[in-house]
Amino acid sequence: QVQLVESGGGLVQAGGSLRLSCAASGSSFWINDMGWYRQTPGDQRELVASITRGSSTSYADSVKGRFTISRDNAKNTVYLQMNSLTAEDTAVYYCNARILRSGSTGFRDYWGQGTQVTVSS
């Protein structure tokens, strides 16, 4: 019983910024790596940024220098700061977390519900 709840999406003008948040709720779980993905209709879901438990980060080339992923382990939350947004960033953004639940045999992926980011040009 773990949920990832996203917030922070919306409509923004090109060149603007948004900050997405994704908080895990539940009990008796441990979060390993986390990441942000995005998807547009007809396209595959693509990895935008990832962050390890120790806060080592990785970014897709398309967002390097503009997006910053971070996490607060005490709050079970991952963030995505998005700056200098362009129309190409318009998509539904999903957070992902690899989570070990108490009593389970291994990690599994959990996904947020998705939040729409629309950048007007």
Side-chain angles (χ1 to χ4, degrees), residues 93-113:
Y93 284 71
Y94 298 89
C95 66
N96 168 269
R98 303 221 76 197
I99 295 178
L100 177 67
R101 296 187 64 189
S102 179
S104 69
T105 58
F107 289 89
R108 58 165 283 187
D109 285 321
Y110 286 80
W111 293 91
Q113 80 279 9

Side-chain angles (χ1 to χ4, degrees), residues 78-89:
V78 63
Y79 307 93
L80 185 67
Q81 178 66 47
M82 304 184 294
N83 299 326
S84 302
L85 286 163
T86 75
E88 295 298 311
D89 297 314

Side-chain angles (χ1 to χ4, degrees), residues 35-40 43-49 60-63 67 88-94 111:
W36 287 95
Y37 293 72
R38 66 187 181 188
Q39 187 172 27
T40 57
D43 295 326
Q44 296 187 68
R45 190 170 298 184
E46 66 171 346
L47 178 63
V48 175
D61 288 340
S62 59
V63 306
F67 290 11
E88 295 298 311
D89 297 314
T90 295
V92 177
Y93 284 71
Y94 298 89
W111 293 91

